[in-house]
Amino acid sequence: FETNIAEIQAEALTVMENKEEIKARPADYSGLDVETLEPGTLNVNVQDQVSQFGVGTIEIPSIGLKLPVLEGITQANISIGVGTAKPNQAIGKGNFALLGHYMTNSGLLLGGLKQVSKGDEIHLTYFDKQATYRVVESKVIHQSEGKYMLDDPEEPHYLTLLTCDGSRVG
């Protein structure tokens, strides 16, 4: 199962195509189909998914993370990378939020996020914009607080990455 996810991650980073077509395509931000990632549930055509919703990449060099960024929060999107949490996000405006699956293997999806340290760099490419962020805080919150982590402040502009803090059913 972990080998399949690693292969899917690698493949997803090589597929990105015409981002202008993606901007015009409606994306799902509801997260209603997101469930625990199990070996039998991983049924994603990586090339189709990334060509339809791939809009960039995220890289955290300190933990060896490099993933595609896909528009919207669907099980398919976050099974191969991270999904944008809200429509019409822009680098440098408010809270740019991304969600992804946690994996017990720190080299898969957002499994290594627990190992980031204050000051680590995060490189984000989104459509034609690039930015480098620095980690200022890493914390565990209750799932009921997740929606508040997506709020848009006037200042400062920042990046929020959300994942589960462990692998457990429910």
Side-chain angles (χ1 to χ4, degrees):
F1 175 63
E2 289 185 0
T3 302
N4 290 344
I5 291 177
E7 290 170 0
I8 287 169
Q9 277 182 217
E11 181 181 352
L13 289 167
T14 65
V15 178
M16 306 254 178
E17 291 184 11
N18 188 346
K19 292 177 182 58
E20 288 305 313
E21 290 178 18
I22 294 170
K23 279 184 181 180
R25 193 172 289 128
D28 179 357
Y29 301 94
S30 71
L32 293 175
D33 75 336
V34 174
E35 56 189 39
T36 303
L37 190 56
E38 300 286 338
T41 64
L42 190 59
N43 185 19
V44 178
N45 182 317
V46 176
Q47 291 189 352
D48 285 350
Q49 198 66 29
V50 174
S51 66
Q52 288 183 49
F53 297 103
V55 292
T57 59
I58 183 168
E59 185 173 4
I60 307 175
S62 64
I63 61 170
L65 180 142
K66 186 169 184 179
L67 294 172
V69 174
L70 295 102
E71 195 67 26
I73 310 168
T74 64
Q75 181 72 359
N77 282 357
I78 68 173
S79 293
I80 60 176
V82 292
T84 56
K86 305 175 288 188
N88 305 313
Q89 295 189 113
I91 288 178
K93 294 183 180 174
N95 176 12
F96 196 100
L98 299 170
L99 281 77
H101 274 301
Y102 170 83
M103 299 296 291
T104 54
N105 179 328
S106 64
L108 299 176
L109 299 175
L110 292 181
L113 204 55
K114 288 183 178 182
Q115 281 75 47
V116 297
S117 300
K118 190 174 181 178
D120 286 355
E121 288 187 349
I122 301 175
H123 306 287
L124 178 65
T125 301
Y126 183 69
F127 288 106
D128 58 347
K129 305 281 186 198
Q130 295 180 347
T132 296
Y133 296 88
R134 291 208 182 273
V135 175
V136 295
E137 181 180 34
S138 177
K139 65 181 178 178
V140 176
I141 61 170
H142 187 270
Q143 67 186 25
S144 65
E145 298 174 276
K147 63 182 175 185
Y148 302 112
M149 300 305 295
L150 303 178
D151 289 345
D152 277 315
E154 291 295 319
E155 293 287 334
H157 308 299
Y158 54 91
L159 171 67
T160 298
L161 302 177
L162 289 172
T163 190
C164 295
D165 70 336
S167 63
R168 61 188 175 277
V169 176

